[in-house]
Every structure is written in C-alpha cells, then in structure tokens.
Amino acid sequence: MSAVLRVILDSALSPGHGGNGRYAEELTRALIATAPRGCSVHGIVSAQPQERIDELAARLPGITEIQRSNLPRRELTTAWQLGITTQLGEGMIHAPSLLAPLRRHDRGTAQIVVTLRNTLAWTDPKSLTPTSVAWQKQMLKRARKHADAIVVPTHAVAAQLAEIAPFGDRVRVIPEAPASTLALPADASWRASNLDLPERFLLTLGSLDPRRGLDPLLQALARPGVPDLPLLVIGPDAWGSSSLAQAADEAGLDEGRVRALGDLGSADLATVYARATLFVYPSVRESTGLPLLEAFSLGTPVLHTDDPALLEISGGAGEAVEAGDDGFAERLAASITELIEDDERRERLGFAGTDRAQVFGWRDSAERVWALHAEL
C-alpha cells in the first residue's frame, strides 16, 4: 500500500478544540504513527493564518503537509453543506466529523470516509443549536449519497444511525480512547491543593442539559442516609438560564456542597479523576463513553447508567444503575451509598477499570482506519 491519506483537520483549529477537535488531533497523531510503509498523512483546513497552521503542524509531528482552502471556516462549512466542493484531487479523504467535501466520485480513484460521533441532532436536538442540528442533518443526507464509509464510535451509535438512515454495510465501529496526554502529573499534590480538592469527594462530568442526568444526581445526594460528600463537576456552572448553584439549592443540598470545576487541562483533569472517591456518570444518552474510559485509565471506581453506549464501553468494569424517570434518583442514591460504604468494592472496581482501559488505544483505532481505507 502506497498512498496519501488526507484528514480534515479544521476542528483541531477551533478555539478550545472541543470534543471533535481533540478527536481529530488524537486520531491524526496515531494515523501518522501507524502509517503503512510508503504512505503519508496530509491535513486539510479552511483559510487560516499561517501561524495557526504552523502551530497545528507542531502538534502533529510527522504530518507531511497541511493544505489550506481558499475559503474561511464559515464559508467552507456552508459550501460543503450545499455540495459546492473545492478541487481536492483524487485519493483518500478521512473526515473525523461530518465536515467533508462530499461529492460524486469514482471509487476507483477516490475515497471519502466521514465520522458520526453521536446522533444528538436526531435524539436530543435541544442539546445543540438549531443551526448545528440543521447542518448535521443536511450533511448526513450528503454522506448517505456520497460517503464510501461512515465511522461511528460504538455499536450503540451504529444502532441509532440505522434508525435514522440506511447506510448498510458502509458503517464501521471504531472506538475512541482517552487523550494521550491524560496521565497523572508529578506535581499532582500541588495541583490538588491549587484546585482545593477535598480529601474525599464524588466526581461527575457534564452540564445541566437534561440528557446528562445531573438533576437526578443532585436529588439523589439530598436523600436521607446518602454520605455527605461534596460533588465536584467537570464542566460549566450554568446551562442556558439554569445555574448549578440554583439546581443544587432546589434539590435541597447545602450551599457549597456542589462545585463546578469548569474545563480542565489534561494534568488537572488527571489529578481530579485520580483523587475522586467515586466517579458518577448519570448520563441517559451517550455515544463515545469517553468519560468512563478517562476515569478507568486513572484507576477511579465508576458508577454509570445502563445507557447502551456506556454498558458497551464499560464492559462490566463499572457499576451500572438503571436510568429512567421512575425512581432514577432513588436508585442512584442507593448505589452511591453502597459504594461509598464499601471500600473493598470500590477498590475492585478501580482495578477492573484499569484493566478495561487497556482495551482501548488510539494506535488500534488508527490501524482500523488504515485497514478501512485499504479495503475500500
């Protein structure tokens, strides 16, 4: 095999990167490291200042070239949505999202593979902006017509996709992995002090978006008999017009028991995960299961819902609780209490999670991407 794989990297240049940006960067770094003999990896981005492109290239050592479009990001996104594609030549194109130059092409000389990391535009449109929902739906229609394959992170997302659009055997499940930078730093004690971490605490990730299940978690912590541990939240302190402090107060929790940590860098994030007494993930609609893998990789015991994607990623390494409107908070309260009061059980979960995390790696994901393009 001798060829050039061109990866759409525009999301890796977005401010703060975000989930899609981190995914694109991690996958591309691994694609470079696993490239078959004679193959190389190029990038494609929108019209960006040269210094930003140079900075991206520095984060991706070994990338052969980063091709810059004549169109800025907004115009490029709109153009590709309308099917107006710039001339990108023949060969293999891999898009780590639905942002791709989807067009009619000869599969003998060109390939276009796109990625759908979640189906929120269809299942939970209120989690996104109306503009994002409309764009994703339009791009999936174009992918159905022109994509040679579509990558999803879990079989759960594949099942959801099958109910939305018939892609048949073009769907490939390629899991994701924790960030390569997520490792406990040498100065973890200093970081814990700087973050004012309690000696024992519960940890969760998300926002007050209803699908994240944070409201039922707050209600669970207010139940009689639940250990009085503080809850730290990786994520924002507000969602729309709702604030975390207000939601905690309405649930009946004492002031200060719940605290938002905001977005954390890799070193701080690893420190928080590693020091948590229990990571609780009450999300009722998931896709990649990455928060579970992050906690597993740091040896943190995990309690999660029975969402299909989370059960798939956990593989039994975490403790699962049934979601659903009826009695969800009560079940969360009972499970949290049992785990906090059972040190040996939490220790077993920590070991199980560490083993489970070893199953997932960016190198394996990249090798599957190369194999996919080789078979098309």
Side-chain angles (χ1 to χ4, degrees):
M1 182 179 182
S2 178
V4 173
L5 178 64
R6 289 175 293 172
V7 184
I8 309 297
L9 288 174
D10 216 57
S11 59
L13 289 173
S14 299
H17 298 345
N20 282 343
R22 288 190 294 271
Y23 170 67
E25 186 173 329
E26 290 285 355
L27 179 61
T28 303
R29 191 177 291 114
L31 287 169
I32 295 168
T34 59
R37 183 180 298 275
C39 295
S40 60
V41 178
H42 293 198
I44 297 173
V45 298
S46 61
Q48 299 278 346
Q50 188 59 47
E51 56 268 24
R52 297 195 68 197
I53 295 177
D54 292 342
E55 189 272 335
L56 176 61
R59 300 203 309 265
L60 299 170
I63 195 164
T64 306
E65 175 187 335
I66 296 181
Q67 179 181 350
R68 178 169 52 186
S69 168
N70 293 326
L71 297 175
R73 176 179 294 132
R74 181 180 298 178
E75 286 79 359
L76 183 68
T77 300
T78 301
W80 286 359
Q81 179 183 5
L82 297 174
I84 304 171
T85 61
T86 54
Q87 182 54 255
L88 294 172
E90 306 297 339
M92 303 183 295
I93 293 179
H94 190 89
S97 70
L98 289 175
L99 179 63
L102 290 158
R103 65 195 187 280
R104 184 178 300 174
H105 60 279
D106 181 359
R107 286 189 60 179
T109 58
Q111 300 173 4
I112 304 177
V113 175
V114 300
T115 305
L116 182 70
R117 298 184 68 233
N118 62 64
T119 59
L120 294 179
W122 295 265
T123 61
D124 297 82
K126 291 184 179 180
S127 295
L128 308 172
T129 66
T131 300
S132 178
V133 170
W135 184 85
Q136 289 190 47
K137 289 185 175 181
Q138 178 62 29
M139 291 305 292
L140 191 69
K141 289 180 180 178
R142 294 199 60 78
R144 181 184 171 189
K145 290 182 180 179
H146 302 300
D148 298 300
I150 183 166
V151 172
V152 295
T154 56
H155 291 279
V157 173
Q160 293 165 7
L161 177 60
E163 297 180 359
I164 297 168
F167 278 85
D169 61 2
R170 287 184 288 167
V171 178
R172 298 292 190 279
V173 177
I174 300 180
E176 301 179 17
S180 57
T181 56
L182 188 66
L184 194 63
D187 60 352
S189 295
W190 175 84
R191 290 179 181 276
S193 177
N194 191 52
L195 290 166
D196 194 23
L197 298 184
E199 183 176 347
R200 286 164 56 87
F201 61 93
L202 301 174
L203 181 67
T204 192
L205 179 150
S207 68
L208 288 169
D209 181 346
R211 74 179 179 88
R212 293 289 197 173
L214 189 50
D215 273 325
L217 175 56
L218 296 176
Q219 294 164 16
L221 297 182
R223 299 278 189 233
V226 176
D228 188 21
L229 294 182
L231 173 68
L232 303 188
V233 182
I234 303 168
D237 60 4
W239 188 76
S241 60
S242 303
S243 72
L244 185 59
Q246 178 185 5
D249 180 66
E250 291 175 352
L253 295 173
D254 293 336
E255 183 178 358
R257 185 174 173 189
V258 180
R259 175 162 60 98
L261 297 173
D263 292 328
L264 300 174
S266 295
D268 283 342
L269 184 62
T271 300
V272 172
Y273 271 126
R275 292 186 174 241
T277 305
L278 178 68
F279 179 66
V280 185
Y281 199 53
S283 179
V284 298
R285 189 102 67 240
E286 278 300 310
S287 54
T288 67
L290 270 179
L292 264 60
L293 290 179
E294 291 174 343
F296 286 160
S297 70
L298 273 304
T300 308
V302 173
L303 172 66
H304 60 84
T305 67
D306 61 349
D307 171 82
L310 297 182
L311 290 175
E312 178 180 339
I313 293 300
S314 174
E319 189 84 11
V321 60
E322 181 186 355
D325 294 334
D326 296 333
F328 183 25
E330 289 83 355
R331 291 190 294 275
L332 275 173
S335 295
I336 290 171
T337 301
E338 291 173 6
L339 286 172
I340 292 301
E341 294 178 349
D342 192 334
D343 294 345
E344 292 185 4
R345 190 172 168 189
R346 290 200 318 280
E347 185 177 16
R348 289 196 300 270
L349 284 175
F351 286 131
T354 300
D355 289 341
R356 181 61 176 169
Q358 303 306 310
V359 175
F360 301 87
W362 286 111
R363 186 178 186 88
D364 177 67
S365 299
E367 289 174 346
R368 294 191 193 189
V369 168
W370 280 112
L372 167 58
H373 281 280
E375 74 179 58
L376 291 176

